[in-house]
Amino acid sequence: MRKILYSLCAFVALGSVQPVCAQFNLGKAVSAGAKAVKATQISDAEVAAMARESVQWMDTHNKVCDANDPYTQRLNRLTEGLVEADGIPLNFKVYDVIDVNAFACPDGSVRVFSSLMDLMTDDELLGVIGHEIGHVLKHHSKKAYKAALLASAGRDALSSGGGLVGKLSDSQLGDLSESLVNSKFSQKEEKEADDVGYEFLVKNGKNPWAMAMAFEKMQELEGGAKQSAMAKMFSSHPDTAARIKKMSERATKDGYTRPADPAK
Ligand SMILES: [Zn+2]
């Protein structure tokens, strides 16, 4: 597993936080063919359909908590009312894995890892989810996935004509899924996702203090011992303190009261 973490897109696995259980399965890399494919050969609808296939691959190859699992029930509770994002229907699942992460996909699938849920309060999780959905709303996720399709597994299949859906192998889908899980976004995109994520929460009746609170937790983790890799990755993203300041000032200005931090 690569050492992720990034701001809210990907929190690095914090060593041995959890008892041993499954690690997130991303499949194995495949070598790419050499044929050039123009971006225009993939429609938005096809990108969405392919992203859906990649999500289904991840759902099949990782342990998904069932409907009665306390993780699922908690996620359902805190995401209640989050039904769609700009017309894209949302669906939420928990992966029972030791990695600490969460991501949202262009097809509206949101996946939260159980180990992230162990670290965060409901408000903090909502902030992460709002931010990730912000990337979907601004089409960053689609752009990243499309780039991955063009750069790797999909290239040969595309060049053979007739579209991509249903044509990729299991390992190719696994390879592509990494671009959904570990997307690297620019600082501009991160800021946009913060703003749009904030607005998404407000629109859906959630307290947008969640955004600032999620960043506070991120800052707290960032300061933790052994995570020099995490700090390094953070430095390439918008300054965490500045993000906390911006989001908390906005929530205050908009008249929201900061929720109490419940003892977990
Ligand atoms: Zn992000």
Side-chain angles (χ1 to χ4, degrees), residues 6-9 131-132 135 183 185 189-190 193-194 237 243:
Y6 127 29
S7 31
L8 287 176
C9 292
H131 174 88
E132 295 302 329
H135 281 305
S183 297
F185 298 115
E189 289 172 329
E190 292 303 331
D194 290 352
H237 284 84
R243 296 169 95 172

Side-chain angles (χ1 to χ4, degrees), residues 52 55 59 88-92 103-111 136:
R52 188 71 177 161
V55 171
D59 287 353
I88 303 169
L90 300 172
N91 71 88
F92 297 87
F103 60 92
C105 304
D107 71 324
S109 298
V110 180
R111 300 292 180 263
V136 173

Side-chain angles (χ1 to χ4, degrees), residues 38-207:
K38 289 179 185 168
T40 51
Q41 289 180 249
I42 312 182
S43 67
D44 282 355
E46 191 159 48
V47 172
M50 285 306 303
R52 188 71 177 161
E53 277 201 42
S54 283
V55 171
Q56 285 167 351
W57 185 94
M58 288 188 278
D59 287 353
T60 303
H61 291 79
N62 291 284
K63 186 184 173 194
V64 177
C65 294
D66 66 32
N68 296 321
D69 190 289
Y71 283 113
T72 305
Q73 292 180 345
R74 182 181 166 207
L75 185 65
N76 288 344
R77 190 179 68 247
L78 71 95
T79 60
E80 192 174 1
L82 305 184
V83 177
E84 56 89 25
D86 206 11
I88 303 169
L90 300 172
N91 71 88
F92 297 87
K93 291 185 195 299
V94 180
Y95 289 147
D96 187 6
V97 291
I98 58 170
D99 311 88
V100 175
N101 209 343
F103 60 92
C105 304
D107 71 324
S109 298
V110 180
R111 300 292 180 263
V112 182
F113 293 12
S114 57
S115 296
L116 176 67
M117 295 183 72
D118 290 338
L119 286 174
M120 292 193 141
T121 66
D122 287 359
D123 288 307
E124 290 161 354
L125 285 167
L126 200 53
V128 172
I129 290 165
H131 174 88
E132 295 302 329
I133 290 175
H135 281 305
V136 173
L137 283 166
K138 292 298 290 181
H139 305 297
H140 304 151
S141 312
K142 187 167 70 182
K143 193 174 84 177
Y145 187 76
K146 187 171 182 175
L149 274 174
L150 291 168
S152 61
R155 192 159 56 179
D156 279 350
L158 271 174
S159 64
S160 67
L164 264 179
V165 176
K167 283 168 77 174
L168 297 187
S169 70
D170 193 65
S171 65
Q172 284 174 319
L173 280 171
D175 186 40
L176 275 168
S177 67
E178 178 158 12
S179 67
L180 293 173
V181 180
N182 294 332
S183 297
K184 299 279 195 303
F185 298 115
S186 70
Q187 293 199 22
K188 178 171 175 282
E189 289 172 329
E190 292 303 331
K191 287 174 181 166
E192 286 176 348
D194 290 352
D195 288 334
V196 172
Y198 177 103
E199 287 149 20
F200 172 79
L201 293 181
V202 168
K203 185 182 169 192
N204 287 283
K206 306 293 187 185
N207 189 329

